[in-house]
Amino acid sequence: MDWVTNLPIKRKLTLIILVTCSAVLLLACTALAVYELLDFRSATVRDATVLADILGENTQAALTFDDADAARKVLGALQAEPGVIAARVFGASNQPFADFVRSGSAPQLPLAVAHSGNQFAVGALEIYRPIVLDGKTIGTIYLRTDLRRMYDRLKLFSGIALIVLAVSLALAFALSSRLQRPISEPILALAEIARAVAEKKDYSVRAPTHGGTGELAMLTDAFNHMLAQIARRADELAATNAELEQFAYVASHDLKEPLRMVTQYMGLIERQLGANLSDQHRRFLHFAVDGATRMQTLINDLMSFTRTSHVQENHLPVDLTQVVNEVLATFQERISETRATMRIGELPTISGERTKLALVFQNLIGNALKFHAKDRDPVIDVTSKRIGSDWVISIADNGIGIDPAYRQQIFAVFQRLHGRDEYPGNGMGLAICRKIVDQHHGELWVESRAAGGSVFMLRIPCDPTPAAAQPVLPDAAPVAGLRLAQPS
Ligand code: ADP
């Protein structure tokens, strides 16, 4: 029934009306046909019984005087009754006495009285009536009547019923095509507006109202009201986001300034005191500068995370093979340092934001190189496969792996499973990756490899919904300044 669900509402309404009309008309015609059949059968039985009784009376004398010729003459009158095919008069001891057989037909006449009353045989009605004289049965008359007339009438009736059905359906189609408009048009208008809103993010449009108090008028009003509310909320959200961004920018700028000063003055102290500094003091100075540098990195990462919230209006085709090759070029040194083997399979071209998608691969491949096991050289596979309407891209490594208990946690901001001394980093990379993948209507998750290591899986729709259908965000600002999380 999927095809019905997918039909446009106009067709659905017309179909419903036509199916209902056909069912009702078919039922009515069938009921009439059955009534007609039963009526015709009882009329045929009645007529045949009367005819048999008349013949019985007229053959009484012939039976009494054992005059078969006289009986045959009486039966000969049946020639004028086109429905009667054959007749036979039986004597008192059930022996055939006189017959009538319509020329051109060769019915099997019964040799003896089979029963009394009537019986419908194939295409014929058979009747046995006793011939009674002075209360005494002196014989039986058998009559065989053709039912062809009944079938002809049934055929005629069916023909008429079919014509009535066809004309009624044509009329129902014409009427329903016009009468379904008050229902389908407001719904179609709503669907059209909803589509336009989703595609263009234009919340100022409104569905046309036709007045009235019906459910459809209420639905249109509620829809318009909802659009007005969304428009107001979108404006508020855009304003709040802009404010927050401004705040983040100012705050990060203001925070970075004192940090720069700390670093500068520590450097000055080191230079000026020079040889007078003890090893311990030098270590303290180094800790202070290191702390300030890390804080600067943290601030920069937080800014990157905030900026990934921007959604570009137009998604463009992005060749992932090209993206991955560029990412690998940036990691060339690290790859040879770690003696990593990079195996890159065939990758698709998807629709999206190139810079952000590059950032995802930069982070995932960077992590695969960074979290390699000490006892083996890294082997990293980047592959893709199509599943339904999605591309599933996997970045698999043979590194230290991830405890299944933390598979969700690592995607949150600042969440790390290792100390900075062990593996450097801020715990922002995966949070940024997940955000970007969400913006592309995809999914990012991690699985463990049986042979050790992790597989990061990236599911992206082949034909993503236009970017405009995404959540409302402030006017897009350039993603410039986005820092790639380096696997330092
Ligand atoms: P960072 O790399 O700066 O630590 P991420 O957000 O990229 O931050 O990663 C979060 C944490 O997830 C990492 O600290 C690490 O514990 C774990 N992780 C990420 N990728 C891998 C990987 N390929 N193998 C093992 N652990 C990983």
Side-chain angles (χ1 to χ4, degrees), residues 10 62 94 111 140 142 150 204 221 224 244 248 264 272 302 306 450 456 475:
K10 279 182 171 185
N94 271 354
L111 295 174
T140 303
Y142 162 82
M150 185 171 88
S204 62
D221 287 346
N224 285 340
L244 277 175
Q264 263 175 9
Q272 290 198 355
L302 270 175
T306 317
F456 280 84
D475 290 337

Side-chain angles (χ1 to χ4, degrees), residues 19 38 43 56 89 117 155 264 281 301 306 311 320 332 361 435:
V19 169
L38 293 177
V89 174
K155 266 191 223 153
Q264 263 175 9
H281 288 136
D301 280 350
T306 317
V311 177
L320 292 184
Q332 217 164 23
F361 284 97
K435 197 170 193 183

Side-chain angles (χ1 to χ4, degrees), residues 363-364 367-368 370-371 397 400-402 410 412 415-418 424-431 454 456:
N363 273 306
L364 296 179
N367 280 349
K370 180 164 61 170
F371 296 103
D397 62 53
I400 57 169
I402 297 167
I410 54 169
Q415 292 296 323
R416 313 195 71 237
L417 304 180
H418 309 92
N426 287 329
M428 289 291 292
L430 291 181
S454 329
F456 280 84

Side-chain angles (χ1 to χ4, degrees), residues 345-473:
E346 213 174 298
L347 298 176
T349 293
I350 58 169
S351 174
E353 287 185 60
R354 196 177 201 283
T355 323
K356 289 185 182 175
L357 289 170
L359 192 54
V360 172
F361 284 97
Q362 182 93 19
N363 273 306
L364 296 179
I365 295 176
N367 280 349
L369 285 167
K370 180 164 61 170
F371 296 103
H372 73 265
K374 299 274 182 281
D375 59 344
R376 51 183 181 261
D377 291 344
V379 178
I380 299 165
D381 292 291
V382 183
T383 49
S384 71
K385 70 172 162 193
R386 178 132 186 196
I387 299 181
S389 57
D390 296 330
W391 280 111
V392 176
I393 297 143
S394 61
I395 295 109
D397 62 53
N398 62 341
I400 57 169
I402 297 167
D403 184 336
Y406 300 110
R407 275 190 202 153
Q408 279 305 317
Q409 199 176 315
I410 54 169
F411 289 99
V413 179
F414 295 141
Q415 292 296 323
R416 313 195 71 237
L417 304 180
H418 309 92
R420 201 163 279 106
D421 303 338
E422 226 183 327
Y423 295 101
N426 287 329
M428 289 291 292
L430 291 181
I432 291 177
C433 289
R434 183 167 264 187
K435 197 170 193 183
I436 293 172
V437 174
D438 283 351
Q439 286 171 359
H440 286 77
H441 305 284
E443 220 183 322
L444 175 66
W445 72 98
V446 65
E447 290 175 7
S448 295
R449 251 183 163 185
S454 329
V455 193
F456 280 84
M457 312 280 273
L458 181 66
R459 185 192 57 76
I460 297 262
C462 304
D463 180 19
T465 321
Q470 294 172 355
V472 189
L473 287 160

Side-chain angles (χ1 to χ4, degrees), residues 56 59-60 62-64 66 71 75 87-99 108-115 127-132 137-143:
T59 50
Q60 276 173 1
L63 274 170
T64 310
D66 197 19
L75 292 183
R88 171 166 276 183
V89 174
F90 293 92
S93 47
N94 271 354
Q95 79 287 9
F97 182 68
D99 295 340
Q108 279 255 317
L109 286 169
L111 295 174
V113 177
H115 56 84
I127 259 192
Y128 290 91
R129 295 291 292 171
I131 302 170
V132 181
T137 300
I138 57 165
T140 303
I141 177 138
Y142 162 82
L143 213 63

Side-chain angles (χ1 to χ4, degrees), residues 177-195:
S177 301
R178 295 197 128 266
L179 296 180
Q180 43 87 7
R181 281 186 199 158
I183 298 174
S184 63
E185 279 177 1
I187 293 177
L188 287 175
L190 281 182
E192 186 54 35
I193 297 281
R195 201 176 55 80

Side-chain angles (χ1 to χ4, degrees), residues 71-390:
R72 265 194 290 279
K73 258 192 205 145
V74 173
L75 292 183
L78 290 173
Q79 205 65 47
E81 286 292 331
V84 179
I85 310 167
R88 171 166 276 183
V89 174
F90 293 92
S93 47
N94 271 354
Q95 79 287 9
F97 182 68
D99 295 340
F100 163 79
V101 174
R102 179 167 300 282
S103 51
S105 56
Q108 279 255 317
L109 286 169
L111 295 174
V113 177
H115 56 84
S116 66
N118 55 62
Q119 172 180 300
F120 281 93
V122 186
L125 166 69
E126 290 180 331
I127 259 192
Y128 290 91
R129 295 291 292 171
I131 302 170
V132 181
L133 182 64
D134 297 334
K136 194 171 155 221
T137 300
I138 57 165
T140 303
I141 177 138
Y142 162 82
L143 213 63
R144 187 180 174 88
T145 314
D146 190 5
L147 290 179
R148 212 176 312 139
R149 268 199 318 138
M150 185 171 88
Y151 295 133
D152 287 348
R153 202 156 145 186
L154 208 60
K155 266 191 223 153
L156 182 70
F157 186 88
S158 306
I160 291 171
L162 274 181
I163 292 168
V164 169
L165 198 69
V167 172
S168 307
L169 286 185
L171 192 68
F173 180 77
L175 282 175
S176 64
S177 301
R178 295 197 128 266
L179 296 180
Q180 43 87 7
R181 281 186 199 158
I183 298 174
S184 63
E185 279 177 1
I187 293 177
L188 287 175
L190 281 182
E192 186 54 35
I193 297 281
R195 201 176 55 80
V197 167
E199 274 177 12
K200 296 186 194 134
K201 276 206 273 179
D202 178 5
Y203 300 105
S204 62
V205 289
R206 295 288 176 269
T209 48
H210 306 286
T213 53
E215 286 90 345
L216 284 174
M218 274 166 58
L219 181 66
T220 308
D221 287 346
F223 185 78
N224 285 340
H225 182 65
M226 192 180 71
L227 277 181
Q229 277 192 329
I230 295 177
R232 192 168 48 75
R233 296 248 170 96
D235 289 346
E236 283 170 9
L237 195 62
T240 315
N241 273 350
E243 258 172 43
L244 277 175
E245 202 167 300
Q246 184 65 16
F247 169 77
Y249 178 77
V250 172
S252 66
H253 187 264
D254 289 359
L255 278 174
K256 279 201 290 192
E257 193 47 41
L259 284 176
R260 234 190 325 268
M261 275 178 65
V262 171
T263 320
Q264 263 175 9
Y265 280 98
M266 291 294 167
L268 267 178
I269 292 172
E270 196 180 15
R271 271 199 302 280
Q272 290 198 355
L273 293 183
N276 300 333
L277 280 174
S278 69
D279 279 352
Q280 195 183 27
H281 288 136
R282 268 186 213 287
R283 239 190 9 261
F284 290 163
L285 278 176
H286 175 73
F287 285 153
V289 172
D290 188 46
T293 315
R294 266 197 286 128
M295 191 146 191
Q296 244 167 359
T297 316
L298 271 176
I299 293 168
N300 286 340
D301 280 350
L302 270 175
M303 284 304 292
S304 302
F305 185 71
T306 317
R307 289 204 179 109
T308 40
S309 300
H310 291 298
V311 177
Q312 200 173 298
E313 282 292 326
N314 298 316
H315 278 183
L316 296 170
V318 180
D319 180 352
L320 292 184
T321 305
Q322 220 172 53
V323 167
V324 169
N325 283 338
E326 282 167 18
V327 169
L328 291 186
T330 67
F331 284 129
Q332 217 164 23
E333 211 173 305
R334 176 146 290 253
I335 293 171
S336 53
E337 255 172 42
T338 53
R339 293 202 306 275
T341 307
M342 304 298 301
R343 297 192 297 214
I344 313 298
E346 213 174 298
L347 298 176
T349 293
I350 58 169
S351 174
E353 287 185 60
R354 196 177 201 283
T355 323
K356 289 185 182 175
L357 289 170
L359 192 54
V360 172
F361 284 97
Q362 182 93 19
N363 273 306
L364 296 179
I365 295 176
N367 280 349
L369 285 167
K370 180 164 61 170
F371 296 103
H372 73 265
K374 299 274 182 281
D375 59 344
R376 51 183 181 261
D377 291 344
V379 178
I380 299 165
D381 292 291
V382 183
T383 49
S384 71
K385 70 172 162 193
R386 178 132 186 196
I387 299 181
S389 57
D390 296 330

Side-chain angles (χ1 to χ4, degrees), residues 31-43 150-151 154:
L32 273 175
V34 170
Y35 172 78
E36 183 74 5
L37 192 70
L38 293 177
D39 188 49
F40 194 85
R41 271 168 73 124
S42 60
M150 185 171 88
Y151 295 133
L154 208 60

